[in-house]
Amino acid sequence: RVWRVTAGDPGDGRPGGHSFFVGGGEAAGEGGAAAWALIDPLPAHAGQLDALRAKPPGPVRCILCTRGEPPREAWAALRQAWPDAEAATALADGQRLQLAGATLEVLPVPGDALARRFLLQPERLLFTGDAVAADECPQAAWIAPASGFVRAAAGGRHHDY
């Protein structure tokens, strides 16, 4: 239900980033209608968009960003790659997105009205643009930042994996 695509170092001193396909159906072996969301697709460099185009596990139905709305040029490239995908920018806190057996709950980011976090249920995997402390999101068991390591939030302590 979760596929991660990791971009390498773009060569300008910035770290590469992670993008995630979340959903189910078709390639995931779940049968039925496929529905996938693409979380944090913004390319750190041109090669990342190429990697994302090469890796979708099924049809992308919506594009979600954890750090607010991306620049117009980035949206244009994403819409060209996935013309049938909805650019989900106006999401309400607590809203639930259903994706062929996967449910993403929209969570706010304290102090940033434009940013969002997405909690995959029932796995309790939190997709976030920035690193968070375990006590910031007690409903998360796992934290998947846009860059860095996926880590467990167990008993208030983080373990990097």
Side-chain angles (χ1 to χ4, degrees):
R1 293 176 4 137
V2 177
W3 292 40
R4 181 178 73 172
V5 178
T6 301
D9 182 349
D12 61 2
R14 294 179 298 141
H18 306 298
S19 299
F20 300 91
F21 290 104
V22 179
E26 286 184 3
E30 295 177 8
W36 291 85
L38 176 53
I39 300 175
D40 284 336
L42 297 181
H45 54 81
Q48 185 175 357
L49 186 56
D50 292 339
L52 290 169
R53 282 190 201 129
K55 298 290 182 191
V60 175
R61 299 290 181 226
C62 65
I63 298 171
L64 306 168
C65 296
T66 59
R67 294 185 175 133
E69 195 166 327
R72 181 176 289 180
E73 303 82 31
W75 269 127
L78 294 168
R79 298 294 297 168
Q80 185 175 9
W82 296 283
D84 296 331
E86 173 189 350
T89 57
L91 299 170
D93 295 345
Q95 182 175 343
R96 292 180 177 262
L97 307 170
Q98 299 296 324
L99 301 161
T103 301
L104 285 172
E105 181 179 354
V106 180
L107 302 176
V109 175
D112 189 343
L114 297 177
R116 294 286 176 265
R117 295 175 181 163
F118 303 98
L119 184 66
L120 178 62
Q121 297 289 1
E123 290 88 347
R124 298 175 40 212
L125 175 59
L126 181 70
F127 298 94
T128 180
D130 297 312
V132 297
D135 60 352
E136 283 185 54
C137 188
Q139 59 271 57
W142 294 91
I143 299 171
S147 62
F149 297 98
V150 173
R151 56 182 199 244
R157 297 187 344 246
H158 287 173
H159 304 280
D160 293 338
Y161 291 93

